[in-house]
Amino acid sequence: MARLIRRMALAVGAAGLVAAVLRLRGKGGTPPTGGGWRELTGPDLR
Amino acid sequence: MRAAIIGAGAVGARAARQLTATPDVGSLVIRDADEERARTVAAAMGPPAEADGGSGAEGLDVDVAVVTTPAGGHAELARRLLEAGAHVVSVSDDIDDVRGLLALDAEARERDRCVLAGAGFSPGMSCLLAAHAAARFDEVDEIHVARAGTGGPACARQHHQALAGHALDWRDGAWSRRMGGSGRELCWFPEPVRGRDCYRAALPDGLLLVPAFPGVERVTARLAANRRDRLSARLPMLRRPHPEGRVGAVRVEVRGRRGSTRDVVVLGAVDLPAVAAGAVAAVTAVEAAAGRCTSPGAAGLARSCDVLPVLTELARRGVRAAAFEGSRTD
């Protein structure tokens, strides 16, 4: 039982470590989350 | 320029209005399965519009035909129009229609004609926005389209069926069929539509965008819907659709690489969907008839049109695009 718990803790810890690395180092191109819409005008359409 | 509109519903009437107001259009034939409706629309437009009482492509001698009939049968009608020597613009957002239209590519090339598939609001305006956003990247990785709102009753029925169908997602070089109504995502559209929950649906945007952007890894399309829409999607429509939907919007998110950095560009447009679809269809029809398509064949607007002049002309006609300018969080 103790071995099972140790293995589970190890698996959770490893997954957490990988997730943390991906979260901090990942380059997924975070989409804009603030700001607003601006109409495309002359210079944008050249 | 001689033009025809086949289908005088919400989108067809708006396309007719736009073509009537185009100086290059010398004659405009309006046809509909309901002859009375075609005559009413033609009378409302005035010259050069006229209803000739014909049906389909029969006896039509025009430079370009805009097909605005309800979804279904667009490919067969387009084939007949090609045989009659016309460029074809279709506003259908039905997957089978779009597949059939794209299959006319070889015939269109042989006849030196263009078949513009999905030339409405979405697909249509969405394809133009995707191409415009993609021009800012060296390499496009992902394109995600979302749309909200419906045009006329036929569009509302198509919306209903799309949620009950299977979505086509392009992922890592292959199509995957996903259940319509799944994959909820909160998408932010331009004002006044703002945030709407969007779901996978049977939409043809991917079929049109993937060939236009070789190497793209992911393409998805979603439809704004509420819980009642999702619940009732697999049932017959519970009530008759409205003659005209409210203000709708499209939103296109393009992710890609520019130099050594990865970035996201989000473009959108807001309008009455039937009005915008009519304007897109009319403007692209004029482009096709004037020989300004990039090459003969069957394709979506992202591949077949010179995007900037079309967007500029649409803006002049009141269909304006917008860019989402947000603050980066990384």
Side-chain angles (χ1 to χ4, degrees):
Chain A
M1 188 65 179
R3 196 162 68 174
L4 178 65
I5 292 171
R6 271 205 306 276
R7 283 182 176 176
M8 285 171 61
L10 187 66
V12 169
L17 192 65
V18 170
V21 169
L22 289 176
R23 177 73 183 85
L24 294 174
R25 307 268 309 171
K27 291 180 180 175
T30 309
T33 54
W37 291 91
R38 176 184 62 79
E39 189 177 308
L40 295 185
T41 53
D44 300 304
L45 297 174
R46 283 184 201 133
Chain B
M1 182 183 301
R2 298 161 303 159
I5 288 179
I6 303 176
V11 175
R14 268 51 180 268
R17 173 71 68 198
Q18 294 287 344
L19 286 171
T20 306
T22 303
D24 290 344
V25 176
S27 75
L28 176 63
V29 175
I30 299 177
R31 290 183 169 185
D32 193 278
D34 180 349
E35 281 184 33
E36 183 58 35
R37 181 158 63 180
R39 274 196 292 273
T40 304
V41 171
M45 300 301 143
E50 60 164 342
D52 69 350
S55 68
E58 192 182 320
L60 208 52
D61 181 21
V62 293
D63 300 310
V64 62
V66 182
V67 183
T68 55
T69 53
H74 279 227
E76 180 54 27
L77 186 52
R79 194 182 58 74
R80 289 185 191 156
L81 289 164
L82 276 178
E83 285 172 0
H87 297 282
V88 183
V89 177
S90 161
V91 301
S92 177
D93 60 353
D94 177 75
I95 286 180
D96 291 337
D97 273 345
V98 169
R99 274 205 181 109
L101 289 162
L102 295 179
L104 294 171
D105 186 52
E107 187 171 351
R109 285 175 192 274
E110 194 177 308
R111 295 179 186 276
D112 196 26
R113 289 289 177 271
C114 295
V115 175
L116 305 185
F121 194 38
S122 179
M125 187 69 182
S126 55
C127 293
L128 296 170
L129 294 177
H132 187 49
R136 302 187 197 178
F137 293 102
D138 298 324
E139 190 177 283
V140 175
D141 295 330
E142 300 181 23
I143 304 172
H144 303 285
V145 177
R147 87 174 203 221
T150 57
C155 184
R157 289 189 189 95
Q158 183 63 17
H159 177 284
H160 182 80
Q161 288 170 12
L163 276 174
H166 282 90
L168 284 176
D169 283 0
W170 178 257
R171 188 166 189 139
D172 298 330
W175 292 108
S176 63
R177 275 162 59 90
R178 310 295 292 272
M179 182 81 81
S182 65
R184 181 171 70 180
E185 188 173 309
L186 177 62
C187 296
W188 286 89
F189 296 94
E191 305 283 347
V193 177
R194 306 193 69 192
R196 298 284 301 275
D197 279 331
C198 294
Y199 302 86
R200 291 192 189 98
L203 302 171
D205 299 66
L207 293 173
L208 300 165
L209 290 171
V210 169
F213 302 100
V216 67
E217 291 170 7
R218 289 193 67 191
V219 179
T220 65
R222 280 178 165 74
L223 195 58
N226 56 32
R227 287 177 180 171
R228 192 188 62 204
D229 295 334
R230 292 177 65 211
L231 186 69
S232 62
R234 285 163 182 82
L235 304 171
M237 286 191 87
L238 298 178
R239 58 185 175 192
R240 186 190 293 267
H242 296 290
E244 173 96 45
R246 284 182 245 169
V247 171
V250 292
R251 177 187 191 277
V252 179
E253 179 178 321
V254 178
R255 295 168 172 241
R257 182 181 60 77
R258 185 188 301 126
S260 60
T261 61
R262 301 213 169 269
D263 205 356
V264 182
V265 172
V266 180
L267 299 181
V270 61
D271 210 324
L272 289 171
V275 172
V280 171
V283 169
T284 52
V286 171
E287 291 290 302
R292 291 194 287 265
C293 285
T294 50
S295 64
L301 301 189
R303 210 174 81 172
S304 57
C305 286
D306 192 358
V307 172
L308 283 181
V310 174
L311 284 177
T312 304
E313 178 61 16
L314 285 169
R316 194 184 70 76
R317 294 176 185 236
V319 182
R320 295 189 173 91
F324 187 81
E325 297 196 327
S327 55
R328 301 297 308 247
T329 57
D330 59 347

